[in-house]
Amino acid sequence: KSPEGKAALVPIRDMIKATYREAAVAEEMVETSQQAMAEAAYRTTVIAGGKTQQTLTVGWEVLGLDKETATRIFEDEAKEGFVTDREKMYGGQNTKYDAKGNVIDKDGKLLDPENAIEGSDDDTPTSNVYECSDCGYTLFVAKGRESKFFGEGFKCPECGAAKDKFKPKDIEED
C-alpha cells in the first residue's frame, strides 16, 4: 500500500469502477481483492520460511497487512507444521508404499485395507506401462517410481477412475 503501489492500482480501480454502477462497491471489491492477495502471498512466504521458524516471518508490512493478521496467518500455518501444498497433496516424504502402490505404516501394514490394490505378487509388471481399465488412458512411469507415482488420492487424468483401475500392461517385444 505504498504511494507507488496505490498509483499503479489507479487504472485497475478505474476499470473496475466502470463495470459497477456504484463506485463504493467497486472500491470495496478492489480492497477485498487486494487484502485476499496480500494474505495469500504472506501465507506462501510463511510456508516457504520453513518448519523451524519461531518468530513472525518478515514481509507482512510490505504487503500492507497489520501485525494481527500476520500473526494469525503465522500461527495457523505453525499449527499445521508449515506444510506446503505439495506435502498436503502427496503426503510428504514419510509416506511409505508397498509394491502394489498401497499406503503402508512403518510396520508394513496397510493403512486403508478397504481400498487396497488387489492381486498376487505375480502381478508385478515387467514394464513401466500402466493402463486405466475404465478408459484405456496409458501412463509410462519410471521404473522403481510406481509406488510413488500412484500416491494416495491418485485418479486417472482422463476419466477420474481410482488408482486401483490402473493395471500393469506388459509390452510385447518384437
Side-chain angles (χ1 to χ4, degrees):
K1 296 195 179 189
S2 66
E4 297 84 15
K6 287 181 180 180
L9 284 176
V10 169
I12 296 169
R13 287 180 189 271
D14 291 344
M15 181 183 69
I16 292 173
K17 284 180 187 177
T19 62
Y20 287 92
R21 291 180 189 193
E22 296 181 35
V25 172
E27 285 293 328
E28 187 176 333
M29 290 295 295
V30 171
E31 290 298 322
T32 302
S33 298
Q34 188 175 13
Q35 182 71 21
M37 288 186 284
E39 289 183 21
Y42 186 65
R43 188 173 306 279
T44 300
T45 302
V46 168
I47 292 168
K51 300 182 185 325
T52 60
Q53 298 178 79
Q54 299 295 318
T55 60
L56 207 56
T57 309
V58 297
W60 55 272
E61 304 98 331
V62 174
L63 293 168
L65 298 176
D66 58 38
K67 190 171 185 176
E68 181 181 328
T69 302
T71 302
R72 176 183 48 81
I73 292 169
F74 183 87
E75 289 174 353
D76 287 350
E77 293 306 323
K79 283 180 198 168
E80 296 293 321
F82 302 108
V83 178
T84 65
D85 288 341
R86 182 186 174 282
E87 289 171 312
K88 288 175 189 171
M89 183 176 284
Y90 297 111
Q93 297 178 351
N94 295 327
T95 306
K96 304 286 183 218
Y97 301 89
D98 65 11
K100 295 182 186 87
N102 297 305
V103 179
I104 57 175
D105 65 15
K106 63 181 179 167
D107 299 322
K109 295 180 183 167
L110 293 174
L111 290 180
D112 188 9
E114 290 181 19
N115 294 311
I117 298 172
E118 301 293 329
S120 69
D121 290 339
D122 295 340
D123 289 342
T124 305
T126 57
S127 75
N128 62 337
V129 180
Y130 290 83
E131 185 175 76
C132 176
S133 58
D134 283 359
C135 71
Y137 186 84
T138 304
L139 291 170
F140 297 88
V141 180
K143 287 208 183 262
R145 302 280 301 161
E146 297 87 350
S147 61
K148 295 280 186 188
F149 191 83
F150 292 109
E152 190 174 338
F154 175 82
K155 293 190 185 318
C156 175
E158 187 70 27
C159 71
K163 68 180 178 181
D164 65 338
K165 296 294 184 175
F166 277 83
K167 305 296 180 197
K169 181 177 180 179
D170 292 332
I171 298 176
E172 296 175 13
E173 304 272 338
D174 287 335

